[in-house]
Amino acid sequence: MSPAPRSRHRSAPVKPPARPLRPKLSLRSESRAWAPALPELRKSLPRAAKAALAAGRSRCAALAGAAGPVEIDLCLSDDAAVRALNRDYRGKDKPTNVLSFPGLEGAVAGLLPPEAPRPLGDIVLAYETCAKEAQDQGKSLGDHVQHLVVHGVLHLLGYDHEEEAEAAEMETLEVRILAGLGIADPYAAGDAPGAEALP
């Protein structure tokens, strides 16, 4: 009996599972207007940021091989401060709901040992704009701000919405992440977050 012929097809190499990330989130408030919502936001915003980080991490070269903490700073601010940041960094002299400031670039992160912290970036939210949008869209402030944090973290990971295909990909991922958090599809009524990522 002759041996069975070898298959000409090679199986695809098995990709090792990604190391679990160790998010390290800081949340600070620079505006008293956030005070009534802070007890809820202290629980919900880190959860939203971690969910976005887990879902979108493959897009970010700076996280390849990371075993140390991934740092994200969430700042609850106001329209005046966000307007100044928007003017100084984007040339737009007006407030917006949220700004994302990316941290490490992939090339720099590649020089770090795996256990080194990875400062992914900062997210700044403007109270007055966020509260008005939530009211206008018939949403709770908590749900709306969680959406903006998810949106902002995805920007930090390299997602964008400048092109139609990019926007569709980002929105689809946001909807999936938010569904996991028990938040309804924010785009069902045509409401977009308008978050801005800074280079």
Side-chain angles (χ1 to χ4, degrees):
M1 194 169 178
S2 61
R6 286 188 178 169
S7 171
R8 293 183 184 170
H9 301 287
R10 293 184 181 211
S11 59
V14 177
K15 209 176 186 183
R19 292 180 180 184
L21 293 176
R22 293 181 17 220
K24 183 179 177 185
L25 304 163
S26 64
L27 174 64
R28 71 181 192 280
S29 178
E30 294 182 347
S31 169
R32 291 177 189 250
W34 290 99
L38 270 180
E40 176 194 344
L41 297 180
R42 280 198 173 102
K43 295 175 189 173
S44 63
L45 296 189
R47 189 179 71 227
K50 288 175 184 178
L53 184 60
R57 69 178 285 182
S58 63
R59 175 67 64 99
C60 184
L63 297 182
V70 178
E71 301 170 342
I72 300 174
D73 183 58
L74 303 174
C75 176
L76 303 175
S77 193
D78 57 27
D79 275 12
V82 170
R83 178 179 183 166
L85 290 169
N86 206 19
R87 179 193 64 230
D88 295 348
Y89 289 93
R90 300 183 63 244
K92 297 185 177 185
D93 191 10
K94 61 179 183 175
T96 187
N97 50 17
V98 62
L99 292 172
S100 296
F101 295 89
L104 276 181
E105 295 296 326
V108 175
L111 302 174
L112 297 172
E115 298 78 22
R118 300 294 202 277
L120 192 60
D122 302 310
I123 297 170
V124 186
L125 297 128
Y127 178 80
E128 296 88 347
T129 298
C130 291
K132 183 176 185 329
E133 288 174 348
Q135 183 178 10
D136 291 350
Q137 296 168 19
K139 301 173 183 174
S140 74
L141 178 63
D143 283 359
H144 185 53
V145 175
Q146 284 182 80
H147 178 204
L148 294 174
V149 165
V150 166
H151 189 86
V153 169
L154 292 180
H155 272 307
L156 296 180
L157 292 169
Y159 287 85
D160 211 341
H161 46 79
E162 293 300 313
E163 304 293 328
E164 193 172 324
E166 290 176 337
E169 178 187 17
M170 190 172 179
E171 288 175 14
T172 299
L173 185 54
E174 286 175 24
V175 169
R176 184 165 54 91
I177 294 165
L178 292 170
L181 296 170
I183 297 173
D185 178 354
Y187 296 101
D191 300 322
E196 305 296 343
L198 299 175

